[in-house]
Amino acid sequence: MVLFMRERGRRDRGEIVIDVLRAALDGEVKTRIMFKSNLYYRTFNHIFSELLDKGFIVRCNGFNGKFLYKTSERGKKVLEAGIRFYNLINTSKRD
């Protein structure tokens, strides 16, 4: 599910945010989003909390008393813009 992989193996903050938003597109429990975005707990919690506070991810009622987290409409716009940005950057590097 990780969208960006670099030769050096490290993603920058923008790439991580995009991966988290993408992992939450269909609504998932928090742990599943963390696994899909391939992050350590501490890093994930820091970024996830910011995305939640800024309204890019919203909490929904889930099943069995668990909460699901889903990328909001605002978050989808950020996701689309971020993907376009990184595609443009990667295309420019090849030219």
Side-chain angles (χ1 to χ4, degrees):
M1 181 61 164
V2 176
L3 180 61
F4 298 105
M5 282 303 230
R6 295 177 168 217
E7 290 178 19
R8 64 178 185 203
R10 296 190 64 137
R11 297 171 284 170
D12 64 29
R13 183 177 174 80
E15 292 167 328
I16 292 171
V17 165
I18 289 170
D19 285 337
V20 172
L21 289 172
R22 190 171 191 196
L25 270 175
D26 296 324
E28 290 283 357
V29 293
K30 195 173 174 181
T31 306
R32 194 80 185 117
I33 296 169
M34 183 179 75
F35 289 149
K36 283 184 172 182
S37 54
N38 196 27
L39 291 170
Y40 291 111
Y41 177 79
R42 190 174 180 183
T43 305
F44 172 76
N45 261 346
H46 178 71
I47 290 175
F48 186 81
S49 294
E50 279 187 36
L51 294 173
L52 197 57
D53 291 343
K54 292 179 179 179
F56 298 134
I57 291 180
V58 293
R59 186 172 78 171
C60 309
N61 288 329
F63 51 93
N64 295 333
K66 294 183 179 184
F67 291 112
L68 294 180
Y69 295 89
K70 189 172 183 175
T71 304
S72 67
E73 289 304 314
R74 188 172 173 209
K76 288 177 185 177
K77 290 178 185 176
V78 170
L79 176 60
E80 290 169 9
I83 290 171
R84 281 196 312 269
F85 171 77
Y86 281 102
N87 285 339
L88 180 64
I89 295 296
N90 289 335
T91 303
S92 297
K93 286 182 182 179
R94 288 186 223 137
D95 293 341

